[in-house]
Amino acid sequence: MEWINYLCEANPGIRVLMLRQTRESLAESVLVTWEEEVLWPGHPAIHGSAGRNNRQNYHYPNGSHIVLGGLDKPEKTFSTQYDVISVFEAREIDQHSWEYLSRANRNFKLPWQMRIADTNPAGEYHWLNQYFPQGFREVPDRHKEDKRLRLLSRHKDNPTYWDHDKDDWTKQGDAYVNGILAQLPAGARRANLYEGRWASEEGVIFEEYDASVHIIDKEDAPEFKWCFGSYDKGLRHPGCLQIWGVNDDRMYRIAEIYRTGQTMDWWAEKVVQYHKKYDLQALVCDPSEPEYIKVFNDRMGHARGRGGNRIARKARNAIRTGIDMVRWGFGPADNGPRIFILRDSLVGRDKDRIEKKRPYCLEDELPSYIWNRSRDGKPIKERPDPTCSDHAIDCLRYAAMYMWNKDLSVETPEGDYDPNSWAGVLSWDEVKGAPRP
């Protein structure tokens, strides 16, 4: 961002596009840093009374121009040409979108045209890690056709976090890097965000899930024939409410609320809101909280003016069976998968989860949901790792079990523990060292 500001000040009349996957996420992250740490209040490029969420551009006195956008609204983003296109948190976009951006990268007020992909590392096989050559600050020969360049940075390169004069962490850096990132549990998320490595989780449960396939734009979804919801209770931990649209044997997540610290009354208000909007046919809920189900039904019945419409019900919570059902839904069928997530359908963001670098929605939980491990570190494909965030995934399990209502569980062999029983969850035979009955 400092470099973009320098380019605009030093090169009159250039055009720069700054964007993320969604325009909302750009305002909540990039523009905060841009206006508070790169520009300053009263900077001549900041004009008008619009706030960050509604600001469309920045005009420099020398005629340079920065346009703000999101790939969720391409018609407002690519109607003109740009000298520099900078995609922030580029791991959120797919390769097709990255290559599509080249069509707008042709303003030619600069002697060179450039696209920048700014990102934290993601999975080892993410297209960005495959697309850009390995190496540290290896500037390519300007005469070669391939101009791709990977520039690596670390937390100590950030002057907000590292004081080069004192050769030590700043107060902010110590709190963020050592206090938040260093405390992340071992695994790919810690490797990505703390160690700066492109790494994938071992023993991922939903191997069939592919963000480039299962996350689709809203305009690509069909017309829904009916809708239902799923809910997983949370207070100290996040609660989650998902709304699913159905077309034939396919279901599409069309809305999700993922929040920590909200009361039963707060969730009931959201349930009523979505029941009115989508005329929900059912709401499958965390079966351990019957009080929530009663309150949801009472509130929806009151809002509808009829007491008999009690659509909230207990979800089927056979964990392994639900996992198999979701895997079946993500897997390929004759005419494609059966589960899809509409892009930009998360309603707001849990700032506490984001600040702590914890998963904050379904698409953020799925890649880090892994099998539990044995003492030698090998995945045990019987139950999930209990340290994984699974609040939205529980909602997804409830929804899949309601949608298809099929029992894919394997019959428990005689003399063995059901993996969903307490004995199975606690590995009773291993803990006690006793033979199984």
Side-chain angles (χ1 to χ4, degrees), residues 113-252:
Q113 307 290 280
M114 178 178 286
R115 284 173 291 155
I116 307 168
D118 164 284
T119 190
N120 281 302
E124 180 182 0
Y125 302 104
H126 192 283
W127 72 268
L128 277 170
N129 196 38
Q130 307 298 315
Y131 185 86
F132 286 92
Q134 302 290 332
F136 183 75
R137 294 189 173 94
E138 295 179 359
V139 180
D141 187 326
R142 61 177 297 186
H143 299 293
K144 290 184 178 180
E145 183 178 349
D146 188 352
K147 300 290 196 298
R148 291 175 296 174
L149 169 64
R150 182 187 302 228
L151 297 177
L152 304 180
S153 64
R154 296 292 180 257
H155 295 301
K156 290 184 179 181
D157 294 325
N158 188 336
T160 300
Y161 298 151
W162 184 259
D163 188 325
H164 286 272
D165 293 330
K166 297 181 180 179
D167 198 31
D168 197 5
W169 296 106
T170 64
K171 183 178 180 179
Q172 298 98 313
D174 186 56
Y176 178 65
V177 178
N178 299 322
I180 294 179
L181 299 185
Q183 304 307 314
L184 291 173
R189 198 173 188 85
R190 189 179 195 276
N192 297 159
L193 301 179
Y194 177 62
E195 301 170 19
R197 293 190 295 109
W198 295 80
S200 302
E201 294 283 10
E202 295 184 12
V204 172
I205 293 177
F206 297 119
E207 298 175 347
E208 298 82 2
Y209 171 71
D210 182 344
S212 66
V213 173
H214 297 104
I215 299 179
I216 64 173
D217 294 325
K218 292 181 179 180
E219 55 267 26
D220 294 331
E223 182 177 350
F224 303 124
K225 298 180 179 178
W226 56 281
C227 298
F228 72 99
S230 56
Y231 173 75
D232 188 64
K233 182 251 182 182
L235 184 62
R236 186 169 62 88
H237 296 296
C240 184
L241 172 66
Q242 294 170 349
I243 307 300
W244 295 89
V246 178
N247 182 282
D248 295 331
D249 68 337
R250 285 172 170 71
M251 64 182 201
Y252 301 74

Side-chain angles (χ1 to χ4, degrees), residues 4 37 48 94 156 236 266 280 412 427:
I4 288 172
E37 299 184 34
D94 56 35
K156 290 184 179 181
R236 186 169 62 88
W266 187 90
L280 303 179
T412 304
S427 301

Side-chain angles (χ1 to χ4, degrees), residues 71-125:
L71 285 166
D72 54 329
K73 298 179 180 178
E75 70 280 357
K76 296 183 178 181
T77 303
F78 307 123
S79 58
T80 187
Q81 292 81 43
Y82 306 93
D83 297 279
V84 176
I85 298 176
S86 183
V87 182
F88 295 89
E89 205 54 75
R91 63 179 178 172
E92 299 173 343
I93 76 170
D94 56 35
Q95 187 171 347
H96 171 75
S97 297
W98 172 255
E99 293 171 346
Y100 183 79
L101 288 170
S102 64
R103 299 173 59 182
N105 197 192
R106 50 189 176 87
N107 196 49
F108 300 113
K109 290 295 191 298
L110 285 173
W112 38 262
Q113 307 290 280
M114 178 178 286
R115 284 173 291 155
I116 307 168
D118 164 284
T119 190
N120 281 302
E124 180 182 0
Y125 302 104

Side-chain angles (χ1 to χ4, degrees), residues 234-284:
L235 184 62
R236 186 169 62 88
H237 296 296
C240 184
L241 172 66
Q242 294 170 349
I243 307 300
W244 295 89
V246 178
N247 182 282
D248 295 331
D249 68 337
R250 285 172 170 71
M251 64 182 201
Y252 301 74
R253 192 205 67 185
I254 57 180
E256 176 175 302
I257 302 176
Y258 190 108
R259 285 288 191 281
T260 307
Q262 302 299 338
T263 65
M264 179 169 57
D265 286 340
W266 187 90
W267 284 109
E269 289 179 5
K270 301 302 179 184
V271 166
V272 170
Q273 173 187 340
Y274 282 103
H275 186 37
K276 288 181 178 179
K277 183 174 182 179
Y278 293 107
D279 190 23
L280 303 179
Q281 301 301 298
L283 177 66
V284 285

Side-chain angles (χ1 to χ4, degrees), residues 32-94:
V32 175
T33 304
W34 173 254
E35 293 192 2
E36 295 181 0
E37 299 184 34
V38 179
L39 306 185
W40 58 87
H43 189 282
I46 303 176
H47 59 92
S49 58
R52 295 189 189 107
N53 287 327
N54 297 312
R55 196 182 305 284
Q56 302 298 321
N57 46 50
Y58 298 89
H59 294 287
Y60 284 74
N62 65 359
S64 292
H65 193 65
I66 294 177
V67 175
L68 308 175
L71 285 166
D72 54 329
K73 298 179 180 178
E75 70 280 357
K76 296 183 178 181
T77 303
F78 307 123
S79 58
T80 187
Q81 292 81 43
Y82 306 93
D83 297 279
V84 176
I85 298 176
S86 183
V87 182
F88 295 89
E89 205 54 75
R91 63 179 178 172
E92 299 173 343
I93 76 170
D94 56 35

